[in-house]
Each structure stands twice: as structure tokens, then as C-alpha cells.
Amino acid sequence: MLVLAPRGRDAEVIAGVIVRHGVRCETVADFGALAACVMAGAATAIVTDEALHGADLAPLHDWLAAQEPWSDFPFIVLLSRRLGPGSSRAGALFSALGNVILLERPLSADTLGSATGAALRARHRQYQARAVLADRQRVSDELAALNATLETRVDERTRALAQANDRLTAEVIEREKAQQAMLQYQKMESLGQLTGGVAHDFNNLLNVVQGSMELILLTSTDAAVRRRAETAKAACERGARLTAQLLAFARNQTLDLRPLPVMGLFESVLQMARPLLGDTFEFVTGVASGTNAVLADTSQIEMALLNLVINARDAMPGGGRIVLHASRPRPPQGLLPDSAAGAYVRLAVSDNGPGMSADIAARVFEPFFTTKPVGKGTGLGLSQVYGMARQSGGIARVESMPGQGTTVEMWLPAAGAGDVPEVDTAGHEPQLAGLKVLVVEDDAFVRACMVDALALLGCEVEQAPDGAAGLDALAHGPPGVLVTDYLMPGMTGAELARQARARFAGLPVVVATGYADMDAIRDAAGGVEILRKPFLIAELGAAVRRALGAVPAT
């Protein structure tokens, strides 16, 4: 704010009042200096009427007349006397200044402060109006530029829409195929969820039956009873393989890769396949010299080989020859990162059926692709084979020609004969006699079976029906080993293990579960020993020993 008051200490007094109201001000000596400061930039000016008499108002008048439309510079003029009817010359002088507030002296500091605030607010609103006008001008300029190019943009958009319409028309058939695939996927997802739940509950039943048969075999001397128990136990083992395959189908899982003897794999798969295929098929197995073991997940590789055998059967409805062969040749160039001879085992399942054309062979690993009639196949078998091979660090491929049969190959990492783990002899295993074990299992039949099995192994067993009861039992002191089910109401076995180890650091824990995703359980519970259901009494004992650290996990 500018102050022009040439008489006495008026300028100093006015400036002091303004500063007390929080406004920065500057005093000027004469009207010429005032006009120069106004034109240089200021918010408002306070002028006493005596400073206007005889002053050259022309430069300032010209500047005020040339102001931008948003600007109306305010003046506060302090009068030494009231203007009367004959004061036309003074009125004309004030009119030349334009936006003028007249205050008659003497006046209070509050009156001067109020007038100053009003003038400043008015000037501030003018600056706001300037910003609005500038923004409107910018928008107007942009609009003008857009209008200038509107016709060109309309033409471009029209061409783009025409191209999009062409693409949309071309994709109609593909979209219908995708919708059909999605319906199939949703059906398989629902079936997978149902299968997983049924398989988990069935594992508990198998565990009870299998454990009971083992207890009968260990305690009974009646030959007829033992023979029937052996038959039931064998049926339980076949059911366990079935549930393992169902769980693998029902959920994504992390593979448990370990060295597996190739000939043992072939024998296990043929044992499952022969009842399904009957006597019209000839089976031939062959293992090349130096091909001992492959690095794979047991249940997954068995399921993959069984899928390939069943596909070979479907390709030869009248019967034929199915060959399972293993070797360690050099992979074809570019098929695998490490193409050194012997780095991978080639597991091949061949048939002498009608074969496939090149275009069909190129798509056999695609999910949901199948050449079988509706209702005869889902198109997931070979895609599961391919996914298992990729997860295992290898690859799957197919070779086929019309009239010359089909060969499906799985190239998996090789393992040496010395890598296959050997079963420890009983003489080197520590005894479990007298070991205090807490068993937590919500299924009463499974819990009773586990308690009997551990008691037979010489353990002192305490039991609890759920996680909360297990924690109550821990209040009496730490057991030697905690054996808990994973999926229980209220508290999972992983949560129970965490809370138990919070009380007793380093407590050995065995988690028994019918689910296949072992890594998820380890992540939730930390370092625990995992026991797959259904399990044998010997497997239960081995898991307890591994939890104790007596026998390292394999």
C-alpha cells in the first residue's frame, strides 16, 4: 500500500496505523513518485487531498484509463474538510482517479484500518478475476484450436471406429470359442472344489481303516483275520493313490521333487493301468543302460504316465501295443536350456494307433483341446502332463504322423542311482518308548487310531479334540512331540503350532494333513514335519523321529 501525505508527520502516522493492521506499506514524497509506484505495481494508495492540488494527474489518468478490464485501482483519499455544493472542481479531481473512497479527517485508526482492508479485499478480488479471465481465455484458445482440427479428428476417429468394427467382426467366432472354454473351465473348477473336499474327507476315512488294519496285523495271530486285513490294507493303499490324484487335480500345488527309480515308476503305473485296459493291450517296458532315476514328484509323475497310457488306449479302441521307455539321450537343440547328454531322462509312452496330423499334434497340450467326442474327454490330461513337466524343470513334446502311431515324451532332470534315498534300518533308529506325545485331531476315529498307533510304538499319549483343548493340555507342560491335524474348526494346526512354540521354543511338531499343498503349511507353521494322510504306522513313527531330529527328513 502506497501512502502520500506531504504535510508534517501525517505520512508516518498513517503508515504506523496500516502496519499495525498487518499491511506492508511504502510512503512516497510527491504525486509523481506515487504515479510511478502505482504504474509499477501496488495494491492500493492512501492520498491526502492537499497532495492532489496542483499535481499533474495526466500520466496517472492515462494509465488508469488503459487498465485491463479486470482492473480498477482503488484510492483512499483523506479529506481535510467536507465537500460542499460548491466543490465541483474537487469532485472532478476525484472522478479522474476513478475508484475512490473518501474519508473525512480527523478519523480513528479503526476507521482507517477498515477502509484499508476493504480496498485490499477489492483489489484481491480483481486479481482473482484476472486469473479466471486468463483461464477462460486459455480454454477459449484451446477450443478454437480443437475446432480448427475437429474435422481432421472426426475423420481419424471414423477410420479408427471402422477398423475396430472390422476387428470385432473378425473376432466373433473366437469369442464364442472363448465363452465355451470359460464354461468348461467353470465346470472343471466347481468339480475340482468338490473333488478336493471329498478327497480330503475320504483320506481321513482311509486313515482310520488303514491304521486299524495295521493294528490287526500287528496284534492278531489268526491267519484268516490277517489275510482279510491284508486285503483291506491293500485296498486302502489303492484308495490313497486315488485320493492323491484327486487332490492333484483339484488344486495347484508345489511339487515335492525327489529322485525316483524309473523302473519302479513304470511298474507302479502298469499296476494301476492293467485293470483299466484289460487283456487286449500289450505292454512293453524298457529302460536304457545308465538310466536309473529321474527327479520328479511321485504322485504327479505317476498320474502323468497313467494319463498317457489311457490316452494311448483311447487311440486304439480295438487294442494294440503300448510301450513305456526311458533313456538319457541328448535333448534336441533348443528344447531345453542344458542340452548336455545325460542331463535329462526321456520318458516316452508310444502306441501303434492311427496317429495324428501335424495341425492336431501342434495343439494337443492346449488346455481344453481334445479330439474326443463330447462327454468323452475334457482336454485337460495332456495339459496337466505338460504343466507337470515344466514345473519339474523339464518339457513335454509329442511326435506323431498319420498311420504311424504317437509318442509323447517327457524330458525331466536326471538323478543318479546314488541320489535315491535308502530306507534306514530299524537297528539305527532311536526308540520312542516313553516319549510323551500330545495328539490334537478333531476327527474322533482318526484321533483314536493315531493314539493306538503311538501307544503301540511305546509312546505316552495325551489327546485333545481341537486346538483350544490342545493349548489347555500344553498348560500342564511341554510334550516331547506335538502331533496335530492341519484343518480343524476354530484353529488350524499351523496356528496351534505357532502358539505352542511361543510357549515352548523349539517344540517338535508333526502336522498331519490330507491336503497336497505342503509348502503352504510350512509357510504358515514354520519348520514342522508334515505327514500326508493316509499314513502307515511306520510312517507316523518315522515322522515323529524326524521331528525329534533323530532321523533327517528325506
Side-chain angles (χ1 to χ4, degrees):
M1 174 170 283
L2 302 174
V3 177
L4 174 58
R7 291 184 180 176
R9 295 181 62 252
D10 289 353
E12 182 181 348
V13 173
I14 294 170
V17 172
I18 293 171
V19 169
R20 283 199 301 273
H21 282 79
V23 180
R24 189 168 58 88
C25 69
E26 179 181 344
T27 59
V28 293
D30 52 37
F31 193 82
L34 175 69
C37 290
V38 168
M39 289 184 281
T44 186
I46 298 178
V47 185
T48 57
D49 59 350
E50 59 268 19
L52 300 176
H53 296 303
D56 183 10
L57 301 181
L60 183 59
H61 182 271
D62 293 341
W63 182 85
L64 293 173
Q67 291 181 94
E68 296 288 338
W70 57 267
S71 179
D72 189 15
F73 190 87
F75 291 91
I76 300 175
V77 178
L78 304 182
L79 302 174
S80 57
R81 56 187 178 82
R82 182 184 298 273
L83 294 176
S87 304
S88 57
R89 183 174 178 278
L93 185 63
F94 298 147
S95 297
L97 296 177
N99 184 8
V100 177
I101 299 174
L102 298 177
L103 297 178
E104 186 177 351
R105 292 179 287 179
L107 71 163
S108 67
D110 290 339
T111 301
L112 181 58
S114 176
T116 300
L120 290 174
R121 284 193 298 273
R123 189 59 172 170
H124 180 66
R125 293 299 298 271
Q126 292 173 24
Y127 290 146
Q128 290 178 330
R130 177 181 63 180
V132 171
L133 289 173
D135 188 60
R136 288 181 179 177
Q137 184 61 43
R138 179 184 58 79
V139 172
S140 178
D141 293 343
E142 291 178 356
L143 255 153
L146 288 174
N147 288 334
T149 59
L150 181 59
E151 185 174 350
T152 302
R153 297 183 65 187
V154 168
D155 290 341
E156 292 174 354
R157 178 55 63 89
T158 301
R159 286 195 297 272
L161 288 175
Q163 293 171 358
N165 185 60
D166 292 342
R167 287 195 301 270
L168 184 62
T169 302
E171 292 171 358
V172 167
I173 297 177
E174 292 298 326
R175 183 185 305 166
E176 291 177 353
K177 292 180 180 179
Q179 289 173 347
Q180 293 174 358
M182 179 58 68
L183 290 175
Q184 180 75 351
Y185 170 78
Q186 291 172 346
K187 180 181 73 174
M188 299 306 294
E189 180 71 13
S190 300
L191 180 60
Q193 292 176 359
L194 175 63
T195 302
V198 171
H200 174 261
D201 292 340
F202 192 57
N203 265 340
N204 280 338
L205 299 177
L206 283 175
N207 207 85
V208 175
V209 177
Q210 182 173 274
S212 299
M213 292 303 104
E214 278 202 282
L215 290 172
I216 291 173
L217 289 170
L218 290 171
T219 57
S220 176
T221 57
D222 188 301
V225 171
R226 289 179 62 84
R227 185 172 61 254
R228 292 183 175 89
E230 288 282 6
T231 302
K233 182 170 175 284
C236 287
E237 291 172 353
R238 290 180 61 184
R241 287 194 294 267
L242 174 62
T243 54
Q245 292 168 3
L246 290 175
L247 285 169
F249 165 76
R251 51 194 282 129
N252 293 327
Q253 61 181 354
T254 301
L255 300 186
D256 182 15
L257 301 179
R258 59 181 63 198
L260 303 174
V262 175
M263 183 54 73
L265 282 176
F266 286 171
E267 292 174 354
S268 177
V269 169
L270 292 182
Q271 183 181 1
M272 292 185 286
R274 282 193 175 97
L276 299 175
L277 273 64
D279 299 330
T280 59
F281 290 90
E282 175 191 2
F283 291 98
V284 179
T285 60
V287 178
S289 176
T291 305
N292 299 305
V294 65
L295 194 63
D297 181 282
T298 306
S299 62
Q300 291 294 303
I301 188 64
E302 288 181 352
M303 181 178 65
L305 289 170
L306 185 61
N307 273 334
L308 296 180
V309 170
I310 292 174
N311 279 351
R313 176 204 65 181
D314 294 341
M316 303 180 294
R321 185 177 69 254
I322 300 176
V323 180
L324 283 72
H325 188 265
S327 59
R328 294 179 68 172
R330 182 185 298 274
Q333 188 66 32
L335 182 65
L336 292 161
D338 184 1
S339 59
Y344 292 87
V345 173
R346 174 185 176 269
L347 300 178
V349 178
S350 305
D351 63 63
N352 60 344
M356 296 179 287
S357 62
D359 58 332
I360 293 178
R363 300 187 61 193
V364 293
F365 293 123
E366 295 179 7
F368 305 111
F369 177 78
T370 179
T371 58
K372 299 176 183 178
V374 176
K376 298 296 183 180
T378 63
L380 288 175
L382 286 175
S383 65
Q384 289 177 339
V385 170
Y386 183 84
M388 185 281 302
R390 294 294 291 171
Q391 280 186 286
S392 301
I395 196 68
R397 64 195 294 260
V398 61
E399 292 183 352
S400 182
M401 293 183 64
Q404 298 185 22
T406 300
T407 298
V408 179
E409 304 173 352
M410 290 185 292
W411 293 79
L412 302 176
D419 296 331
V420 180
E422 298 181 358
V423 179
D424 292 331
T425 60
H428 296 290
E429 294 180 351
Q431 300 301 313
L432 300 180
L435 177 68
K436 182 179 179 182
V437 180
L438 172 61
V439 175
V440 183
E441 166 65 61
D442 62 309
D443 189 302
F445 293 112
V446 177
R447 185 172 69 252
C449 186
M450 294 172 67
V451 170
D452 291 343
L454 289 167
L456 188 65
L457 294 172
C459 301
E460 298 178 5
V461 187
E462 185 179 2
Q463 56 183 296
D466 52 45
L471 290 177
D472 292 339
L474 289 172
H476 304 145
V481 174
L482 169 64
V483 179
T484 176
D485 185 29
Y486 175 67
L487 194 62
M488 298 185 294
M491 180 186 300
T492 68
E495 294 169 348
L496 173 61
R498 280 199 301 270
Q499 295 194 35
R501 283 179 168 171
R503 298 184 183 184
F504 308 109
L507 176 67
V509 178
V510 177
V511 177
T513 178
Y515 281 105
D517 195 350
M518 300 302 152
D519 283 354
I521 299 173
R522 289 191 179 96
D523 292 342
V528 299
E529 182 62 35
I530 296 176
L531 180 63
R532 295 175 188 251
K533 293 181 180 179
F535 48 81
L536 302 173
I537 293 177
E539 293 172 338
L540 174 59
V544 172
R545 290 186 179 95
R546 287 196 297 269
L548 289 169
V551 178
T554 57

